[in-house]
Amino acid sequence: MVVKIKLSQTKTDRVFNNVSEFLENETYFRHGKHKTEKDYQQNLEGKLEVLTERHGYNIKYEAVPKNGKYRVDFVVENLVGIEMKFYQGGHKIEEQLCRQIINYSKYYPKMIGLVLNSTNKNDKDLKKEIEEIMDNLNVIGKKDYRIIVKSIGKSSQKKD
């Protein structure tokens, strides 16, 4: 006889998965010639209201954790931090995102790095590069963060 045991998700994992799936599958960003990272963050703030309506999540914009000196872009239920970056090329943003994810992981059990890619660089390649940096730093477990890369602008048709 085979007994199947259903492992229940923790609240943290449930929130992390809901937010990740929403960002990956339900958010789209329009490229603006003069838009800044701050503009895209404000755009995301409006989009995240869907998660409040759908799940009742408490979402804070530019939250400062207790005893923290850093400001994470978004926090969902005090469990999941979201750090957004507007990628226009180079390695500076990738390295900065990794440092921020590591710093914020001290305050939030799960972290999401959301990268808006405005270059012709392949999204999968960019995601892989960031994940490799995270792996090499070996400070936070792979199950405790997720990197999501979304194309905007001319490159939005080039996903593969």
Side-chain angles (χ1 to χ4, degrees):
M1 179 165 93
V2 176
V3 177
K4 290 186 178 180
I5 300 172
K6 184 178 180 184
L7 299 174
S8 61
Q9 276 188 328
T10 65
K11 179 180 179 181
T12 301
D13 287 333
R14 192 169 45 255
V15 172
F16 182 59
N17 290 330
N18 287 339
V19 173
S20 296
E21 288 173 16
F22 175 77
L23 292 174
E24 288 174 344
N25 302 317
E26 296 184 55
T27 59
Y28 301 94
F29 298 86
R30 295 182 67 181
H31 184 264
K33 193 172 186 176
H34 301 289
K35 279 188 174 181
T36 65
E37 185 171 289
K38 189 75 156 169
D39 294 323
Y40 289 110
Q41 288 171 351
Q42 290 171 347
N43 185 255
L44 180 59
E45 183 179 23
K47 294 176 186 302
L48 290 173
E49 290 176 11
V50 170
L51 292 174
T52 300
E53 293 168 11
R54 200 178 282 170
H55 302 286
Y57 291 159
N58 178 20
I59 301 171
K60 295 177 188 149
Y61 177 50
E62 293 190 337
V64 178
K66 292 178 185 171
N67 303 321
K69 59 183 177 181
Y70 306 105
R71 183 174 34 212
V72 66
D73 292 334
F74 297 93
V75 176
V76 182
E77 290 292 298
N78 261 351
L79 298 170
V80 178
I82 302 170
E83 184 60 31
M84 176 191 271
K85 291 292 173 217
F86 179 45
Y87 180 77
Q88 298 177 21
H91 292 285
K92 183 179 177 186
I93 293 294
E94 297 160 278
E95 293 166 3
Q96 185 181 34
L97 175 64
C98 293
R99 279 194 313 276
Q100 288 175 302
I101 287 173
I102 290 166
N103 285 333
Y104 301 150
S105 71
K106 298 170 189 166
Y107 306 104
Y108 307 106
K110 303 285 185 179
M111 286 297 305
I112 297 171
L114 175 62
V115 180
L116 302 184
N117 181 9
S118 70
T119 71
N120 287 325
K121 187 171 200 162
N122 182 289
D123 289 353
K124 289 179 184 176
D125 291 343
L126 180 55
K127 177 179 176 172
K128 184 179 176 188
E129 286 176 19
I130 296 168
E131 288 174 340
E132 285 175 358
I133 294 170
M134 290 296 293
D135 288 348
N136 290 337
L137 294 171
N138 197 25
V139 176
I140 174 175
K142 287 183 180 185
K143 66 178 180 41
D144 294 326
Y145 74 91
R146 190 159 296 148
I147 304 299
I148 299 169
V149 178
K150 307 217 40 135
S151 286
I152 58 173
K154 293 179 184 176
S155 61
S156 61
Q157 282 77 24
K158 291 182 92 176
K159 295 197 178 189
D160 292 321

Short mmCIF file of all heavy atoms in Angstrom, two decimals, residues 12-41:
data_model
loop_
_atom_site.label_atom_id
_atom_site.label_comp_id
_atom_site.label_asym_id
_atom_site.label_seq_id
_atom_site.Cartn_x
_atom_site.Cartn_y
_atom_site.Cartn_z
N THR A 12 4.62 31.51 4.51
CA THR A 12 5.71 32.19 3.80
C THR A 12 5.86 31.65 2.39
O THR A 12 5.95 32.42 1.43
CB THR A 12 7.04 32.05 4.58
OG1 THR A 12 6.86 32.60 5.88
CG2 THR A 12 8.18 32.73 3.87
N ASP A 13 5.87 30.32 2.24
CA ASP A 13 6.01 29.71 0.92
C ASP A 13 4.81 30.03 0.03
O ASP A 13 4.96 30.29 -1.16
CB ASP A 13 6.19 28.19 1.02
CG ASP A 13 7.56 27.81 1.54
OD1 ASP A 13 8.52 28.58 1.34
OD2 ASP A 13 7.68 26.73 2.15
N ARG A 14 3.63 30.04 0.61
CA ARG A 14 2.41 30.33 -0.15
C ARG A 14 2.46 31.78 -0.68
O ARG A 14 2.20 32.03 -1.85
CB ARG A 14 1.18 30.10 0.73
CG ARG A 14 -0.12 30.09 0.01
CD ARG A 14 -1.30 29.59 0.87
NE ARG A 14 -1.35 30.14 2.21
CZ ARG A 14 -1.03 29.48 3.33
NH1 ARG A 14 -0.63 28.23 3.27
NH2 ARG A 14 -1.11 30.06 4.51
N VAL A 15 2.82 32.72 0.18
CA VAL A 15 2.92 34.12 -0.24
C VAL A 15 4.01 34.27 -1.31
O VAL A 15 3.80 34.91 -2.34
CB VAL A 15 3.20 35.05 0.97
CG1 VAL A 15 3.51 36.47 0.52
CG2 VAL A 15 2.03 35.04 1.95
N PHE A 16 5.16 33.66 -1.07
CA PHE A 16 6.28 33.71 -2.02
C PHE A 16 5.86 33.18 -3.39
O PHE A 16 6.11 33.82 -4.41
CB PHE A 16 7.44 32.88 -1.44
CG PHE A 16 8.70 32.88 -2.26
CD1 PHE A 16 9.38 34.04 -2.56
CD2 PHE A 16 9.24 31.68 -2.70
CE1 PHE A 16 10.56 34.03 -3.29
CE2 PHE A 16 10.42 31.65 -3.42
CZ PHE A 16 11.08 32.83 -3.72
N ASN A 17 5.21 32.04 -3.41
CA ASN A 17 4.78 31.45 -4.68
C ASN A 17 3.71 32.29 -5.36
O ASN A 17 3.75 32.48 -6.58
CB ASN A 17 4.30 30.01 -4.47
CG ASN A 17 5.45 29.09 -4.13
OD1 ASN A 17 6.59 29.29 -4.55
ND2 ASN A 17 5.18 28.06 -3.36
N ASN A 18 2.74 32.80 -4.60
CA ASN A 18 1.69 33.64 -5.19
C ASN A 18 2.27 34.91 -5.80
O ASN A 18 1.91 35.30 -6.91
CB ASN A 18 0.64 34.02 -4.13
CG ASN A 18 -0.26 32.87 -3.76
OD1 ASN A 18 -0.40 31.89 -4.49
ND2 ASN A 18 -0.88 32.98 -2.60
N VAL A 19 3.17 35.55 -5.08
CA VAL A 19 3.77 36.79 -5.58
C VAL A 19 4.64 36.50 -6.80
O VAL A 19 4.57 37.21 -7.81
CB VAL A 19 4.58 37.51 -4.48
CG1 VAL A 19 5.34 38.71 -5.04
CG2 VAL A 19 3.67 37.94 -3.34
N SER A 20 5.45 35.45 -6.73
CA SER A 20 6.32 35.09 -7.86
C SER A 20 5.51 34.79 -9.11
O SER A 20 5.82 35.28 -10.20
CB SER A 20 7.17 33.86 -7.51
OG SER A 20 8.04 34.15 -6.45
N GLU A 21 4.47 33.97 -8.96
CA GLU A 21 3.64 33.62 -10.11
C GLU A 21 2.95 34.85 -10.69
O GLU A 21 2.85 35.01 -11.90
CB GLU A 21 2.61 32.57 -9.72
CG GLU A 21 3.24 31.21 -9.50
CD GLU A 21 2.27 30.17 -8.93
OE1 GLU A 21 1.04 30.40 -8.99
OE2 GLU A 21 2.75 29.15 -8.42
N PHE A 22 2.49 35.75 -9.82
CA PHE A 22 1.86 36.98 -10.29
C PHE A 22 2.85 37.82 -11.09
O PHE A 22 2.54 38.28 -12.19
CB PHE A 22 1.32 37.78 -9.10
CG PHE A 22 0.75 39.11 -9.48
CD1 PHE A 22 -0.50 39.20 -10.08
CD2 PHE A 22 1.46 40.27 -9.25
CE1 PHE A 22 -1.02 40.43 -10.45
CE2 PHE A 22 0.95 41.51 -9.62
CZ PHE A 22 -0.30 41.59 -10.22
N LEU A 23 4.05 38.00 -10.56
CA LEU A 23 5.05 38.82 -11.25
C LEU A 23 5.47 38.18 -12.58
O LEU A 23 5.64 38.87 -13.58
CB LEU A 23 6.27 39.03 -10.36
CG LEU A 23 6.06 39.92 -9.13
CD1 LEU A 23 7.30 39.93 -8.25
CD2 LEU A 23 5.65 41.33 -9.52
N GLU A 24 5.62 36.86 -12.59
CA GLU A 24 6.06 36.18 -13.80
C GLU A 24 4.99 36.15 -14.88
O GLU A 24 5.29 36.32 -16.06
CB GLU A 24 6.50 34.74 -13.48
CG GLU A 24 7.81 34.68 -12.73
CD GLU A 24 8.18 33.28 -12.27
OE1 GLU A 24 7.30 32.38 -12.24
OE2 GLU A 24 9.34 33.08 -11.92
N ASN A 25 3.74 35.93 -14.48
CA ASN A 25 2.69 35.64 -15.45
C ASN A 25 1.66 36.74 -15.68
O ASN A 25 0.95 36.71 -16.68
CB ASN A 25 1.95 34.37 -15.04
CG ASN A 25 2.89 33.19 -14.92
OD1 ASN A 25 3.75 32.99 -15.77
ND2 ASN A 25 2.75 32.42 -13.86
N GLU A 26 1.56 37.69 -14.77
CA GLU A 26 0.46 38.65 -14.88
C GLU A 26 0.90 40.11 -14.92
O GLU A 26 0.05 40.99 -14.97
CB GLU A 26 -0.52 38.46 -13.72
CG GLU A 26 -1.21 37.11 -13.72
CD GLU A 26 -2.24 37.00 -12.61
OE1 GLU A 26 -3.13 37.87 -12.56
OE2 GLU A 26 -2.14 36.05 -11.81
N THR A 27 2.17 40.37 -14.88
CA THR A 27 2.61 41.77 -14.94
C THR A 27 3.35 42.05 -16.24
O THR A 27 4.17 41.24 -16.68
CB THR A 27 3.53 42.14 -13.75
OG1 THR A 27 4.67 41.29 -13.77
CG2 THR A 27 2.80 42.04 -12.43
N TYR A 28 3.03 43.18 -16.81
CA TYR A 28 3.67 43.63 -18.03
C TYR A 28 3.98 45.11 -17.86
O TYR A 28 3.23 45.84 -17.22
CB TYR A 28 2.75 43.40 -19.24
CG TYR A 28 2.40 41.95 -19.38
CD1 TYR A 28 1.23 41.45 -18.82
CD2 TYR A 28 3.26 41.07 -20.03
CE1 TYR A 28 0.92 40.10 -18.91
CE2 TYR A 28 2.95 39.71 -20.12
CZ TYR A 28 1.78 39.24 -19.56
OH TYR A 28 1.50 37.91 -19.63
N PHE A 29 5.07 45.53 -18.43
CA PHE A 29 5.51 46.90 -18.29
C PHE A 29 5.73 47.49 -19.67
O PHE A 29 6.33 46.85 -20.53
CB PHE A 29 6.81 46.98 -17.48
CG PHE A 29 6.65 46.48 -16.07
CD1 PHE A 29 6.79 45.13 -15.77
CD2 PHE A 29 6.33 47.35 -15.05
CE1 PHE A 29 6.62 44.66 -14.49
CE2 PHE A 29 6.16 46.89 -13.75
CZ PHE A 29 6.31 45.55 -13.47
N ARG A 30 5.25 48.70 -19.86
CA ARG A 30 5.44 49.39 -21.13
C ARG A 30 6.69 50.26 -21.04
O ARG A 30 6.90 50.96 -20.06
CB ARG A 30 4.23 50.26 -21.43
CG ARG A 30 2.98 49.42 -21.65
CD ARG A 30 1.82 50.27 -21.99
NE ARG A 30 2.08 50.86 -23.30
CZ ARG A 30 1.26 51.68 -23.90
NH1 ARG A 30 0.14 52.03 -23.32
NH2 ARG A 30 1.54 52.18 -25.08
N HIS A 31 7.48 50.16 -22.07
CA HIS A 31 8.71 50.94 -22.11
C HIS A 31 8.37 52.41 -22.33
O HIS A 31 7.47 52.74 -23.10
CB HIS A 31 9.62 50.44 -23.24
CG HIS A 31 10.93 51.12 -23.29
ND1 HIS A 31 11.18 52.19 -24.11
CD2 HIS A 31 12.07 50.90 -22.61
CE1 HIS A 31 12.42 52.59 -23.93
NE2 HIS A 31 12.99 51.82 -23.03
N GLY A 32 9.05 53.25 -21.62
CA GLY A 32 8.91 54.69 -21.81
C GLY A 32 10.29 55.28 -22.02
O GLY A 32 11.22 54.96 -21.28
N LYS A 33 10.43 56.10 -23.02
CA LYS A 33 11.74 56.62 -23.39
C LYS A 33 12.45 57.30 -22.22
O LYS A 33 13.66 57.19 -22.07
CB LYS A 33 11.59 57.59 -24.56
CG LYS A 33 12.88 57.96 -25.23
CD LYS A 33 12.62 58.76 -26.48
CE LYS A 33 13.92 59.00 -27.21
NZ LYS A 33 13.72 59.70 -28.47
N HIS A 34 11.70 58.00 -21.39
CA HIS A 34 12.32 58.74 -20.30
C HIS A 34 11.95 58.18 -18.93
O HIS A 34 12.14 58.85 -17.92
CB HIS A 34 11.92 60.22 -20.39
CG HIS A 34 12.34 60.84 -21.68
ND1 HIS A 34 13.65 61.10 -21.99
CD2 HIS A 34 11.61 61.23 -22.76
CE1 HIS A 34 13.73 61.63 -23.20
NE2 HIS A 34 12.51 61.72 -23.69
N LYS A 35 11.43 56.96 -18.90
CA LYS A 35 11.05 56.37 -17.61
C LYS A 35 12.30 55.98 -16.82
O LYS A 35 13.30 55.53 -17.38
CB LYS A 35 10.20 55.11 -17.82
CG LYS A 35 8.75 55.41 -18.08
CD LYS A 35 7.95 54.11 -18.06
CE LYS A 35 6.49 54.36 -18.17
NZ LYS A 35 5.72 53.10 -18.14
N THR A 36 12.19 56.12 -15.52
CA THR A 36 13.27 55.73 -14.62
C THR A 36 12.82 54.51 -13.82
O THR A 36 11.65 54.11 -13.86
CB THR A 36 13.59 56.87 -13.63
OG1 THR A 36 12.45 57.07 -12.78
CG2 THR A 36 13.95 58.16 -14.36
N GLU A 37 13.77 53.96 -13.07
CA GLU A 37 13.44 52.82 -12.20
C GLU A 37 12.31 53.20 -11.24
O GLU A 37 11.40 52.41 -10.99
CB GLU A 37 14.69 52.40 -11.43
CG GLU A 37 14.49 51.16 -10.59
CD GLU A 37 15.81 50.66 -10.03
OE1 GLU A 37 16.63 50.15 -10.82
OE2 GLU A 37 16.00 50.78 -8.81
N LYS A 38 12.34 54.40 -10.73
CA LYS A 38 11.30 54.88 -9.81
C LYS A 38 9.93 54.87 -10.49
O LYS A 38 8.93 54.49 -9.87
CB LYS A 38 11.66 56.30 -9.33
CG LYS A 38 10.80 56.80 -8.23
CD LYS A 38 11.21 56.12 -6.97
CE LYS A 38 10.82 56.93 -5.77
NZ LYS A 38 10.99 56.13 -4.58
N ASP A 39 9.87 55.25 -11.75
CA ASP A 39 8.60 55.23 -12.49
C ASP A 39 8.06 53.81 -12.58
O ASP A 39 6.86 53.57 -12.40
CB ASP A 39 8.79 55.78 -13.92
CG ASP A 39 9.15 57.26 -13.94
OD1 ASP A 39 8.63 58.02 -13.10
OD2 ASP A 39 9.96 57.64 -14.81
N TYR A 40 8.94 52.85 -12.86
CA TYR A 40 8.51 51.45 -12.96
C TYR A 40 8.09 50.91 -11.59
O TYR A 40 7.16 50.12 -11.48
CB TYR A 40 9.60 50.58 -13.58
CG TYR A 40 9.79 50.85 -15.05
CD1 TYR A 40 10.93 51.48 -15.53
CD2 TYR A 40 8.81 50.51 -15.97
CE1 TYR A 40 11.10 51.74 -16.88
CE2 TYR A 40 8.96 50.75 -17.33
CZ TYR A 40 10.11 51.38 -17.78
OH TYR A 40 10.27 51.63 -19.12
N GLN A 41 8.75 51.35 -10.54
CA GLN A 41 8.36 50.93 -9.19
C GLN A 41 6.96 51.44 -8.86
O GLN A 41 6.15 50.70 -8.31
CB GLN A 41 9.35 51.46 -8.15
CG GLN A 41 10.69 50.78 -8.18
CD GLN A 41 11.71 51.47 -7.30
OE1 GLN A 41 11.49 52.56 -6.78
NE2 GLN A 41 12.86 50.84 -7.14
#
